[in-house]
Amino acid sequence: MSINPNVAEIAFLLGEKSRATILISLMDGRFHTASELAYMAAITPQTASFHLSKLIEASLVNVDKQGRHRYYQLANEEVARILESFLAISPPPEVRSLKQSSQVKLLREARTCYDHLAGKLGVGLTESMLNTGYLEKEERNFVVTPKGEQFFTDFGIDLGQLKRKRRSFSHACLDWSERHHHLAGALGNELMKHFLDLSWIVQVPSIRAVKVTDKGKVGFKQHFNMNI
Amino acid sequence: MSINPNVAEIAFLLGEKSRATILISLMDGRFHTASELAYMAAITPQTASFHLSKLIEASLVNVDKQGRHRYYQLANEEVARILESFLAISPPPEVRSLKQSSQVKLLREARTCYDHLAGKLGVGLTESMLNTGYLEKEERNFVVTPKGEQFFTDFGIDLGQLKRKRRSFSHACLDWSERHHHLAGALGNELMKHFLDLSWIVQVPSIRAVKVTDKGKVGFKQHFNMNI
DNA sequence: TCTATATTTCGATAATAATTGAAGTGTTTG
DNA sequence: CAAACACTTCAATTATTATCGAAATATAGA
C-alpha cells in the first residue's frame, strides 16, 4: 500500500493557515480576487499571489482573467467536496458548542462579506431594493435605476463619486448561508459604511457578524420596508 | 465562518511524508513500536519519536507503555475513518489501475511485515504450525511446543540463540489483509530469513511483496503441509 | 499618454520544521 | 550489576517555506 502522493500534497497545501483560509473562503462558490483573498487571510497581496500560484499548480484552484482582475475559484466540484469533508472531519470543539452555534447563528443573520453586507440582512436588503425598483439585476451586476439614483442621493450617498472609483461599482455576490445574491462592490461597501455611520448596525467584535440596532430596525423599516 | 483550527492542524500533520507514512502504517489496526514505524517511514528512531510526540499531542495517536516497549496505535475509530476518507479521496490514478490492483493482489498474497512474513502466506504458515502442534497460541504470543522445538531444530533454526536475543521471541501480529494473526518476533524473522536462504521465497523489488518459488512450493508442502 | 489599480515577480529575510548525532532515561535479561 | 535495548530528549544543522518591500507588468479609464 503505497501512499498516493495526492493525499500528502493536498494535505500539505491545506496544512497552512493562510492557504486554508483562502480555500475555505473560496468554498462559498463565488469568484474572488486575489486582493479579497489576501484581505480575508490577513496577508499581503504578494503572499496571497504566492499561495494562489501553488494552489493553481496543484489544480485546486482556477483563474478567470477578466481585464485587470483575476477571479479565482475552486477548480471543480470535487475539490469543494474534499474541503467539505475536511470541515466535516473537524467539528467545532464540543465544549464551546453553545457559544459556537450562537456565533454561526449570528453570522447567518447578518455579517460582513469582505466589505459589504451579507447574510439574511444583506440578501433581504438587496431584495428589498430590487422590489422597490431601486436596483435591477443584470447578469453579474446590479444597475441603479433612475428611481434608485434619486433614492440613494436622498439617502446621502454620492453615486457620482462611487462610479469614479476604479473598483466594481455594484456586482452581485452569492451568499453562502442564504444561497441568494446580495449587493457587493463600491455601492455595497458605501451602503454598509453609511449604515455604520447612521448607527443602524454595529459590528460584533472578533467575528464578522453585525447586529442591527433599535435605531436600525426603525430605519430599515422606514427606508427599505424591511422587518428585522 | 471562522476556520476551525483543527482543519489546518490535522492537514498539517498529514501533509508531511514521514508522518503520513506513520499514520497509514498504523491503519492496519495493530500496535506498532516506534522502531517499526521508523523503519517503515525510512527515518531514524529519533525522528519517528519526534513525529509521534506531535501526533500524540494532537490526539491522533495513543501510546501503550509496556516495559521498555511503547506500542503506538491510532487514538480511535474516528481517526481511522478520517485517514480512510483521505485514502478514498485520492484513488490510485486510473491509468495504472491494472498494475496497481495486481500489486495489491501480490501484497495480499505474501509480503513482509517489518521483518517477518504476512499476507496469505504468513497467516497460512502460522495456522499450519498451530495445526501441526508446533506452536500454541497464548494471548498475544505464540509458544513453541516440545514437538515444535524438535521441528525447528531439525529445520535448522537455533531456538536457543533466538531466545537469548533481547527482542520479543514470538508474538502474534494481526494481519491487515487477512484479519488473522501471524507469527512475528525473532522467530518469525528467523523463519523468513531461512526461507530466503533456502530460496523458497524471493522478494519482489520496490514493493513489500514476496513470491514463493517452485522450490518453495515443494518445501512448504513437504514441511508445512501447505498448498500454495 | 498618464494615472490609478490589480496583480505578479524578484530578492532578501525571518520563521518554521525535519533530521540526525550524542547523550540521557528507564527496562529487561543474563 | 553490567550490558543490551527501546526510546526520548537535547542540541545543532540544514532544508524549506512564508512573508513582505520593491519593482515590474498589465489593464482600464481620463
Side-chain angles (χ1 to χ4, degrees):
Chain A
M1 282 213 300
S2 57
I3 324 151
N4 189 308
N6 293 341
V7 182
E9 197 193 344
I10 293 177
F12 174 77
L13 290 169
L14 256 168
E16 207 276 330
K17 213 181 144 191
S18 302
R19 273 193 300 261
T21 307
I22 287 174
L23 284 169
I24 291 172
S25 299
L26 287 169
M27 277 184 70
D28 58 14
R30 289 163 43 210
F31 290 86
H32 287 279
T33 63
S35 318
E36 272 179 351
L37 294 167
Y39 176 95
M40 291 178 193
I43 48 179
T44 59
Q46 298 97 294
T47 309
S49 178
F50 167 76
H51 287 309
L52 285 165
S53 67
K54 289 203 159 193
L55 294 173
I56 288 167
E57 199 185 355
S59 300
L60 292 181
V61 164
N62 277 153
V63 209
D64 193 357
K65 270 178 142 180
Q66 279 183 30
R68 67 184 158 188
H69 293 270
R70 295 188 187 201
Y71 294 98
Y72 292 91
Q73 66 172 168
L74 296 185
N76 54 52
E77 266 295 304
E78 211 211 330
V79 175
R81 263 193 300 118
I82 291 173
L83 293 175
E84 285 266 351
S85 75
F86 263 97
L87 290 178
I89 274 167
S90 39
E94 289 298 334
V95 197
R96 299 170 53 208
S97 63
L98 200 72
K99 189 182 172 193
Q100 199 81 27
S101 79
S102 74
Q103 285 194 350
V104 169
K105 223 177 270 176
L106 275 179
L107 285 173
R108 282 180 188 278
E109 209 56 50
R111 67 177 180 277
T112 59
C113 173
Y114 188 27
D115 65 357
H116 54 267
L117 287 175
K120 265 193 189 171
L121 181 63
V123 172
L125 181 73
T126 306
E127 292 195 336
S128 152
M129 292 189 290
L130 286 168
N131 289 337
T132 48
Y134 299 157
L135 294 180
E136 269 171 17
K137 202 171 172 203
E138 197 170 78
E139 302 217 324
R140 288 226 248 136
N141 292 309
F142 292 107
V143 284
V144 179
T145 61
K147 190 179 170 190
E149 292 205 350
Q150 185 60 51
F151 168 77
F152 286 119
T153 308
D154 292 349
F155 194 54
I157 287 172
D158 182 354
L159 293 177
Q161 188 210 321
L162 290 181
K163 282 181 179 162
R164 252 175 278 121
K165 289 206 175 179
R166 301 300 153 91
R167 65 177 290 193
S168 155
F169 173 64
S170 62
H171 67 264
C173 176
L174 187 65
D175 200 288
W176 66 259
S177 58
E178 293 294 302
R179 302 274 160 162
H180 278 280
H181 289 275
H182 59 242
L183 176 67
L187 181 57
N189 177 226
E190 196 57 31
L191 266 176
M192 185 176 81
K193 286 199 287 184
H194 207 62
F195 294 146
L196 282 168
D197 282 347
L198 291 171
S199 298
W200 284 17
I201 56 175
V202 288
Q203 289 189 303
V204 178
S206 86
I207 56 172
R208 289 185 298 127
V210 298
K211 262 195 137 174
V212 178
T213 62
D214 288 341
K215 197 176 164 196
K217 282 178 190 165
V218 178
F220 281 118
K221 176 68 186 163
Q222 203 172 325
H223 293 78
F224 295 92
N225 195 34
M226 291 170 68
N227 295 304
I228 310 292
Chain B
M1 280 217 300
S2 55
I3 325 149
N4 189 312
N6 293 341
V7 180
E9 194 191 335
I10 293 178
F12 174 76
L13 290 170
L14 261 165
E16 206 276 330
K17 211 180 146 193
S18 302
R19 274 194 300 261
T21 307
I22 287 175
L23 285 168
I24 290 171
S25 299
L26 287 169
M27 277 183 69
D28 57 15
R30 291 163 42 209
F31 289 87
H32 286 278
T33 63
S35 319
E36 272 179 351
L37 294 168
Y39 177 93
M40 291 177 193
I43 48 180
T44 60
Q46 297 99 294
T47 309
S49 179
F50 166 77
H51 288 308
L52 285 165
S53 67
K54 288 204 160 192
L55 294 174
I56 288 167
E57 200 187 353
S59 299
L60 292 180
V61 164
N62 276 152
V63 209
D64 193 356
K65 268 177 142 180
Q66 279 183 32
R68 67 181 158 189
H69 292 270
R70 297 190 185 197
Y71 294 97
Y72 293 90
Q73 64 172 169
L74 295 186
N76 53 53
E77 267 295 303
E78 211 211 327
V79 176
R81 264 192 298 118
I82 290 173
L83 294 175
E84 286 265 352
S85 73
F86 264 95
L87 291 179
I89 274 168
S90 40
E94 290 298 335
V95 197
R96 297 171 54 209
S97 64
L98 200 71
K99 188 184 173 193
Q100 197 81 25
S101 78
S102 75
Q103 285 195 350
V104 169
K105 224 177 267 174
L106 274 179
L107 285 173
R108 282 180 188 277
E109 208 57 50
R111 67 177 180 276
T112 59
C113 172
Y114 186 25
D115 64 358
H116 54 269
L117 286 175
K120 264 192 189 169
L121 181 64
V123 171
L125 182 73
T126 306
E127 292 194 336
S128 152
M129 293 187 291
L130 287 168
N131 289 336
T132 49
Y134 298 157
L135 293 180
E136 268 172 17
K137 200 169 175 205
E138 198 171 75
E139 303 214 322
R140 287 225 249 137
N141 292 309
F142 293 107
V143 284
V144 179
T145 62
K147 190 179 172 191
E149 292 204 352
Q150 187 62 51
F151 167 78
F152 286 120
T153 307
D154 292 349
F155 194 56
I157 286 171
D158 182 354
L159 292 177
Q161 188 211 321
L162 290 182
K163 282 182 180 164
R164 252 175 277 118
K165 290 206 173 177
R166 303 300 154 93
R167 64 178 292 195
S168 156
F169 172 63
S170 62
H171 67 264
C173 178
L174 186 65
D175 200 289
W176 66 259
S177 57
E178 293 295 301
R179 304 272 161 165
H180 279 280
H181 290 274
H182 59 243
L183 176 66
L187 181 57
N189 176 226
E190 195 58 30
L191 267 175
M192 185 177 81
K193 286 198 287 185
H194 207 62
F195 294 145
L196 282 167
D197 282 347
L198 293 170
S199 298
W200 285 16
I201 55 174
V202 288
Q203 289 188 303
V204 178
S206 87
I207 56 173
R208 288 184 299 127
V210 298
K211 263 195 135 174
V212 178
T213 61
D214 288 342
K215 198 177 166 195
K217 282 178 189 164
V218 177
F220 281 118
K221 175 70 188 163
Q222 203 172 323
H223 293 79
F224 296 91
N225 194 35
M226 291 170 67
N227 296 304
I228 311 291

